[in-house]
């Protein structure tokens, strides 16, 4: 089975790109984040035409998460099994993440999968940053109370955290900001200590591989990025892991791509072969640096 995660940065805006990628990579399960859709606006027909059923959790604003599966979709849980809390403010996102659609789980093909969209955090010491840590702690609590690390489990999505310095283009430039702070990284470390492993890193220890690049200042072409889209998996899944990849090719070209690239893992057997574009990109970046 191939399981992928992708922050699509508005499914309405990227639907054509997502349809292209479903044909390109043929994932069995696609976890999506930042759909920016309400549940009744989810384009089920587009996915159904390609053999996928979809569970979606969204409000039509800046968040929204979904699971598309062609191998079954059962026992759906949203927002850690609780109703969304009433928002105290409506003028900004990220400050009340438990009032926002950021988590959905389901069982697909015998594997429990969870699609996550963690808050951004914005700046250290801000209410948004504090709320991010609260949300990550709520995720850890839910895992401990409602899940078993000895069962097949994949907890993936946009964590908005680069776990280690190797996961950012320039640690010196990034330190002092969100995504790399010690409390955020410690939150991810606690998830791993509970019983999850970094499935991408298990197959790709090399540096320079990222899943997000800012749209501005040619960051993508310079490969100034971060690996903040993570696939964390339990031991039974890791024992079956045969491949992992970040599909850099999906971050470029037309129609306009998301600022994130899909991250995928293959379990039991390799999925559809794809050229993720890293070898060519590394040569082009190296050539620019010599100029």
């Amino acid at each position: 089975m191939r399981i992928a995660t992708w922050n699509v940065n508005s499914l309405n805006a990227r639907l054509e790109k997502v349809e292209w990628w479903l044909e390109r990579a043929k994932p069995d399960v696609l976890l999506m984040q930042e759909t920016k859709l309400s549940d009744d606006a989810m384009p089920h027909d587009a996915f159904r035409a390609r053999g996928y059923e979809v569970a979606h959790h969204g409000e039509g604003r800046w968040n929204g998460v979904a699971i598309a599966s062609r191998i079954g979709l059962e026992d759906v849980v949203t927002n850690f099994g609780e109703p969304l809390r009433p928002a105290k403010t409506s003028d900004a996102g990220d400050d009340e993440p438990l009032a926002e659609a950021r988590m959905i789980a389901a069982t697909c093909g015998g594997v429990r999968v969870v699609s996550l969209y963690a808050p951004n955090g914005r700046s250290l010491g801000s209410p948004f940053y504090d709320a991010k840590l609260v949300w990550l702690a709520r995720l850890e609590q839910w895992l401990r109370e409602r899940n078993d690390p000895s069962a097949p489990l994949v907890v993936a999505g946009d964590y908005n955290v680069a776990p280690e310095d190797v996961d950012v283009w320039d640690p010196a430039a990034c330190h002092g900001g969100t995504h790399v702070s010690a409390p955020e990284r410690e939150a991810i470390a606690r998830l791993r200590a509970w019983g999850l492993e970094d499935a991408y890193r298990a197959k790709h220890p090399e540096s320079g591989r990222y899943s997000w690049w800012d749209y501005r200042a040619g960051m993508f072409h310079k490969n100034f990025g971060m690996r903040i889209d993570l696939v964390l998996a339990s031991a039974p899944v890791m024992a079956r892991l045969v491949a992992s990849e970040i599909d850099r090719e999906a971050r470029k070209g037309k129609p306009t791509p998301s600022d994130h690239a899909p991250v995928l893992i293959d379990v039991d057997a390799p999925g559809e072969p794809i050229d993720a574009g890293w070898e060519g990109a590394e040569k082009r970046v190296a050539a620019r640096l010599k100029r």
Side-chain angles (χ1 to χ4, degrees):
M1 122 181 11
R2 171 167 285 178
I3 301 172
T5 183
W6 194 3
N7 179 322
V8 296
N9 190 13
S10 176
L11 188 53
N12 269 344
R14 317 291 173 217
L15 182 58
E16 187 178 350
K17 197 77 172 183
V18 171
E19 291 173 324
W20 166 83
W21 198 76
L22 291 175
E23 294 296 325
R24 168 180 166 78
K26 295 179 171 55
D28 297 293
V29 179
L30 175 60
L31 312 179
M32 290 174 281
Q33 302 86 41
E34 205 173 354
T35 63
K36 299 182 180 179
L37 296 176
S38 60
D39 289 341
D40 59 4
M42 182 69 199
H44 288 277
D45 289 347
F47 286 88
R48 193 175 295 117
R50 289 161 177 78
Y52 294 85
E53 55 183 321
V54 180
H56 182 265
H57 178 47
E59 310 163 82
R61 298 192 292 171
W62 48 78
N63 44 63
V65 286
I67 300 171
S69 172
R70 60 180 185 178
I71 55 172
L73 189 63
E74 302 172 346
D75 191 17
V76 175
V77 170
T78 60
N79 196 46
F80 309 115
E82 300 176 353
L84 288 177
R85 297 179 183 179
K88 297 177 182 178
T89 62
S90 59
D91 58 339
D94 291 355
D95 59 336
E96 298 179 84
L98 293 174
E100 300 170 356
R102 293 183 174 276
M103 175 270 180
I104 188 170
T107 299
C108 304
V111 177
R112 190 69 173 160
V113 297
V114 187
S115 179
L116 302 175
Y117 179 35
N120 180 281
R122 301 199 184 187
S123 60
L124 298 187
S126 70
F128 306 100
Y129 178 79
D130 294 341
K132 179 178 188 176
L133 297 181
V134 168
W135 190 90
L136 289 169
R138 183 66 183 91
L139 168 61
E140 180 187 357
Q141 178 188 351
W142 176 77
L143 286 171
R144 292 185 182 279
E145 293 177 351
R146 302 295 181 184
N147 295 270
D148 183 352
S150 67
L153 174 66
V154 170
V155 186
D158 179 1
Y159 281 78
N160 269 312
V161 180
E164 300 176 4
D165 281 357
V166 71
D167 298 312
V168 298
W169 83 96
D170 184 345
C174 295
H175 284 177
T178 59
H179 298 63
V180 300
S181 71
E184 293 168 285
R185 287 179 166 179
E186 288 164 3
I188 302 302
R190 287 193 295 271
L191 301 182
R192 297 184 66 178
W194 175 77
L196 299 175
E197 298 182 50
D198 189 330
Y200 178 77
R201 274 285 172 242
K203 297 296 182 180
H204 288 279
E206 67 269 36
S207 61
R209 302 293 179 91
Y210 311 120
S211 64
W212 172 85
W213 301 260
D214 198 314
Y215 283 125
R216 298 169 295 180
M219 299 287 269
F220 177 66
H221 299 291
K222 298 172 186 175
N223 201 31
F224 288 179
M226 291 185 174
R227 190 177 70 96
I228 58 176
D229 302 270
L230 310 177
V231 180
L232 303 184
S234 64
V237 174
M238 295 299 294
R240 299 161 55 191
L241 183 70
V242 299
S244 63
E245 190 56 274
I246 299 172
D247 189 3
R248 187 183 185 278
E249 290 295 295
R251 174 56 178 80
K252 65 183 188 180
K254 295 182 178 181
T256 303
S258 169
D259 48 354
H260 295 251
V263 184
L264 62 88
I265 65 169
D266 288 339
V267 175
D268 295 328
E272 183 75 8
I274 61 171
D275 178 2
W278 286 105
E279 184 176 349
E282 287 164 351
K283 291 178 179 177
R284 290 191 295 273
V285 171
R288 288 190 185 98
L289 293 175
K290 291 180 180 178
R291 293 174 185 170

